[in-house]
Amino acid sequence: MKIKYIVVFAFTALIFEGLNAQQEGIFSQYWTLPTVYNPATVGVDGTSHVALATRQQWSGITDAPTTNFFAYSRAMGKNVGLGISIIQDKTFIEKSTFFSIDFSYHLKFSEDTSLYLGLKGGGNNYSVNTSGLRTYNVIFDPALESFSRFLPNVGVGFSLHHKRWELNVSVPRMLNTERYKNDRGRATQATDRPHFYLGLTNVFDLSDQIALQPRVFARIVDGAPSSYDFNTMVIFKEIFNIGGSYRTDESYAIIAEFNLMEYEDKNLTFGWGYERSTRASLADIGETHEFALRYNF
């Protein structure tokens, strides 16, 4: 048992060592797509899943961010989980596709408590198309030439599970990478720094068929404001879930999840999220829609 705690301490130290840290995108239904943020969630509780998601952000502006996600996660034996994650972002003049292989290892502390340690390895195929930039030069500026590059990255995380609650801590991309951002129609260089994620969830049974599930999800990065999601879902067991969330100084969302199919230990769920900004300065950017499909087997 002492060896297990030494492993946990060393793994936590590694996470914070990598956190010396632009904001990464975030899904409203982050619990449905956990491997986006934490590699330790692959193969959790001996289950496997396939997940698809798309997020269409800020419908009121041109070249608004669009994010697509795919994940495959499988339990490999008693203590090992293995999976792949692909997340594609497109906004303004840039497009990125991040591919990773996710690995988790299970440590069982008691009948009610388990710890999963995760590693993520992969990279980002990042490209910039400068043909849409506004320019006032008659002669072509070679600095505006389109380009593409591959940026390797690694991540770590752990997921602590109890029969009633769950704690997740992770840094999915530990290495600093450079990219471009939209600055009033012009491209300026920016640095993506490591993001630290912390998530906590609990379940309270209200009756045999109804439960309440509150969640807190924090995103912390050096050089940018921290973001906190407060979410509560009412669970009508084996039928559907409905609830909402508030992201500090940013947005609120309404979320619904439907159980489309359930057979033995397999089930198919569909989720929809509607999100709007709470900032007065962003009142005209429009709404965000998010769709997620997950098959557990």
Side-chain angles (χ1 to χ4, degrees):
M1 183 61 72
K2 289 183 178 179
I3 294 176
K4 290 184 178 181
Y5 283 107
I6 291 172
V7 172
V8 173
F9 176 79
F11 207 79
T12 305
L14 177 61
I15 290 177
F16 283 94
E17 180 68 23
L19 182 63
N20 58 4
Q22 273 68 226
Q23 292 265 39
E24 296 175 357
I26 188 168
F27 285 94
S28 295
Q29 302 171 77
Y30 46 84
W31 57 89
T32 302
L33 315 165
T35 54
V36 175
Y37 309 105
N38 192 350
T41 57
V42 296
V44 163
D45 298 330
T47 62
S48 304
H49 78 264
V50 176
L52 293 167
T54 184
R55 179 178 171 88
Q56 309 293 325
Q57 196 165 329
W58 304 340
S59 60
I61 64 174
T62 305
D63 296 326
T66 299
T67 302
N68 298 305
F69 175 75
F70 167 81
Y72 173 73
S73 168
R74 186 171 183 84
M76 308 289 290
K78 185 178 179 181
N79 296 319
V80 174
L82 193 65
I84 60 172
S85 299
I86 303 173
I87 183 166
Q88 183 187 74
D89 284 300
K90 184 178 181 181
T91 179
F92 184 43
I93 62 171
E94 64 176 347
K95 181 179 180 181
S96 67
T97 302
F98 185 83
F99 172 86
S100 68
I101 297 176
D102 302 316
F103 169 84
S104 72
Y105 186 78
H106 176 208
L107 299 172
K108 190 175 181 63
F109 288 163
S110 69
E111 288 299 319
D112 296 332
T113 307
S114 293
L115 177 68
Y116 298 84
L117 305 179
L119 293 173
K120 180 186 287 284
N124 186 17
N125 185 27
Y126 176 76
S127 62
V128 173
N129 180 8
T130 60
S131 61
L133 288 175
R134 187 169 64 231
T135 178
Y136 301 99
N137 295 331
V138 177
I139 301 175
F140 175 74
D141 185 348
L144 298 179
E145 185 177 359
S146 298
F147 71 89
S148 177
R149 66 175 63 157
F150 180 78
L151 305 170
N153 220 316
V154 294
V156 295
F158 71 79
S159 184
L160 182 62
H161 284 240
H162 188 266
K163 64 178 181 179
R164 304 302 298 173
W165 54 265
E166 178 183 327
L167 173 66
N168 286 279
V169 181
S170 65
V171 184
R173 304 185 197 184
M174 298 178 66
L175 305 181
N176 291 340
T177 56
E178 291 186 347
R179 66 178 180 88
Y180 285 82
K181 68 175 182 177
N182 183 359
D183 185 5
R184 299 180 182 179
R186 297 175 176 83
T188 59
Q189 199 171 56
T191 299
D192 284 324
R193 300 189 180 276
H195 286 54
F196 171 72
Y197 294 97
L198 172 65
L200 180 64
T201 182
N202 207 336
V203 178
F204 302 95
D205 286 327
L206 303 180
S207 70
D208 291 339
Q209 295 298 320
I210 302 176
L212 195 66
Q213 187 168 38
R215 297 182 178 93
V216 179
F217 190 61
R219 177 181 58 177
I220 303 168
V221 58
D222 184 34
S226 299
S227 173
Y228 301 91
D229 273 44
F230 299 93
N231 170 275
T232 299
M233 300 293 291
V234 181
I235 301 172
F236 298 90
K237 297 179 182 180
E238 301 179 1
I239 304 175
F240 71 96
N241 309 331
I242 190 167
S245 68
Y246 170 74
R247 186 170 303 142
T248 54
D249 193 33
E250 189 169 337
S251 64
Y252 65 87
I254 300 171
I255 301 166
E257 299 172 326
F258 303 91
N259 193 357
L260 301 182
M261 182 198 75
E262 186 158 356
Y263 176 71
E264 295 181 347
D265 58 347
K266 304 176 180 65
N267 73 298
L268 177 67
T269 60
F270 170 76
W272 167 76
Y274 173 86
E275 190 175 310
R276 287 196 68 93
S277 175
T278 57
R279 301 181 187 179
S281 59
L282 300 178
D284 297 329
I285 64 173
E287 66 276 352
T288 294
H289 290 275
E290 185 179 293
F291 303 93
L293 192 66
R294 174 168 170 149
Y295 176 60
N296 298 309
F297 59 97

